[in-house]
Amino acid sequence: MVTVTEKTEAYEVIVVGGGAAGLSAALVLGRARRRTLVVDAGEPRNAPAAHMQGYLSRDGMSPAEFLAVGREEIARYGVELVRDRAVDVTRGEGFAVRLAGGTPSGGGRTVRARQLVVATGLKDELPRVPGIAERFGRDVLHCPYCHGWEVRDQAFGVLASTPMSVHQALMVSQWSKDVTLFLHTVAETEPTDEDLRRLAAAGVRVVPGEVAGLVVEDDRLTGVRLRDGQVYDREVVFVAPRAVPRTDLLARLGAEMSETPFGTYPVVDGRGLTTVPGLWAAGNASGFAEQVVNAASRGYRAGAAINGELLMADLDRAVAAEAAHADGAAVRM
């Protein structure tokens, strides 16, 4: 890893966030010979998972290994990476990012760049049920596309947190025909008649009553316990965490934000450019449904677009300078 020194304070691009989106953007920019810095706080969303799936050629790779390989790859192209947290950002002639300075390489300094990519992802807030957080990423899961194959045909439970949990129960029934939807804090009257018909057609059992906790034996999930003491044998529980986008830096810079059912995200164009010139968002900082492969794609797209923006800006500046020089020469003649 290349660390930041006092001599490397000015960059063409700073990428805040060293996950799939940030590293992908940095890789493209490094290969385009752009002086690039990645600021990474080391808090990947998928850290609890032992493996990631659905990424062609990387299916089954651990998230930690994936990121380690990515960091090695960007270093080959001269991209610098600092283990630190961006705590503030301002915009003038470019962007100034202040680092927390929690590591020797951070130093609490301010680094500057012409363009800024925010790829800080999001945080999952799990339902406050005993055992959920401890088992998350193992036999407590949230995404069937990420983990459904690995737990196929097991006894599933779905912990409802909103009426939208009906949709989650219907989706996971593709991977198991033994699915129980625990309404938990959702009232029995919340599911619509159409919901109930679909659940019945999918063979999903609906259980009212609040869930008190999980039953774990020999470090293995074996059941779900209700407040009334009744236990239902289950091997896997799907939950719907509340997504908390890490978009503070974007909002601080005045990017237009949009409210969605999954949180507040910046308004971006197809390339990831926000409403603030030179400010880009990628990965889960730009939207909820960005699994690793999608996040990497968004980072790649942003990196390529940024290189084009910088190139054209430099060419336009050169053309203007040449025109001014020619005008000056004509006046002197």
Side-chain angles (χ1 to χ4, degrees):
M1 184 194 334
V2 181
T3 57
V4 180
T5 68
E6 291 293 340
K7 295 181 180 179
T8 57
E9 297 257 315
Y11 297 86
E12 292 181 281
V13 186
I14 293 174
V15 179
V16 181
L23 291 176
S24 184
L27 181 63
V28 173
L29 290 162
R31 287 177 55 83
R33 310 177 77 176
R34 294 296 178 184
R35 194 177 190 192
T36 304
L37 171 69
V38 176
V39 179
D40 182 28
E43 298 174 346
R45 180 191 181 195
N46 59 0
H51 305 94
M52 62 180 202
Q53 276 77 32
Y55 194 137
L56 189 63
S57 82
R58 296 295 180 267
D59 188 64
M61 178 182 260
S62 78
E65 181 184 359
F66 175 80
L67 294 178
V69 171
R71 288 191 288 267
E72 291 175 0
E73 289 180 350
I74 65 171
R76 295 176 199 162
Y77 301 101
V79 174
E80 301 178 30
L81 186 146
V82 59
R83 288 288 195 174
D84 211 329
R85 185 184 303 279
V87 294
D88 196 14
V89 59
T90 56
R91 178 170 173 256
E93 291 187 9
F95 299 89
V97 180
R98 184 164 61 85
L99 305 180
T103 64
S105 57
R109 299 188 314 274
T110 296
V111 288
R112 295 173 172 80
R114 297 167 62 186
Q115 305 259 323
L116 178 64
V117 181
V118 176
T120 42
L122 59 81
K123 180 181 179 181
D124 290 312
E125 284 191 355
L126 297 168
R128 293 185 177 181
V129 173
I132 292 293
E134 293 80 2
R135 309 296 303 179
F136 190 56
R138 302 167 66 188
D139 38 29
V140 173
L141 308 170
H142 77 288
C143 173
Y145 291 104
C146 302
H147 303 288
W149 175 266
E150 284 65 39
V151 296
R152 64 194 183 279
D153 299 326
Q154 296 185 41
F156 289 0
V158 177
L159 180 68
S161 51
T162 73
M164 291 183 64
S165 297
V166 169
H167 177 74
Q168 187 177 35
L170 294 172
M171 290 299 299
V172 303
S173 70
Q174 177 67 23
W175 284 267
S176 173
K177 298 308 176 187
D178 184 359
V179 180
T180 298
L181 173 62
F182 297 96
L183 289 181
H184 188 41
T185 56
V186 175
E188 288 185 64
T189 55
E190 285 290 338
T192 66
D193 290 342
E194 183 180 23
D195 289 336
L196 295 175
R197 286 193 292 269
R198 284 178 170 174
L199 289 166
V204 176
R205 177 172 49 173
V206 179
V207 174
E210 189 174 350
V211 171
L214 304 182
V215 180
V216 178
E217 299 175 0
D218 297 325
D219 197 28
R220 183 172 59 87
L221 175 64
T222 61
V224 173
R225 179 183 288 110
L226 299 189
R227 287 287 180 195
D228 63 10
Q230 190 170 0
V231 174
Y232 291 81
D233 293 339
R234 296 289 91 186
E235 298 169 283
V236 177
V237 170
F238 282 88
V239 299
R242 187 175 82 89
V244 182
R246 293 181 171 128
T247 54
D248 290 351
L249 296 178
L250 294 164
R252 201 170 303 174
L253 288 167
E256 182 182 344
M257 309 298 283
S258 174
E259 295 289 341
T260 79
F262 305 103
T264 304
Y265 295 91
V267 175
V268 296
D269 67 12
R271 305 168 301 164
L273 181 63
T274 71
T275 54
V276 175
L279 178 62
W280 307 74
N284 281 127
S286 65
F288 172 74
E290 301 299 335
Q291 285 107 338
V292 177
V293 64
N294 295 329
S297 173
R298 294 292 290 255
Y300 188 105
R301 187 176 303 176
I306 290 168
N307 179 61
E309 293 267 329
L310 291 173
L311 176 62
M312 295 306 166
D314 290 343
L315 292 175
D316 289 346
R317 189 178 299 111
V319 168
E322 181 63 27
H325 177 75
D327 290 344
V331 169
R332 290 192 295 272
M333 290 180 62

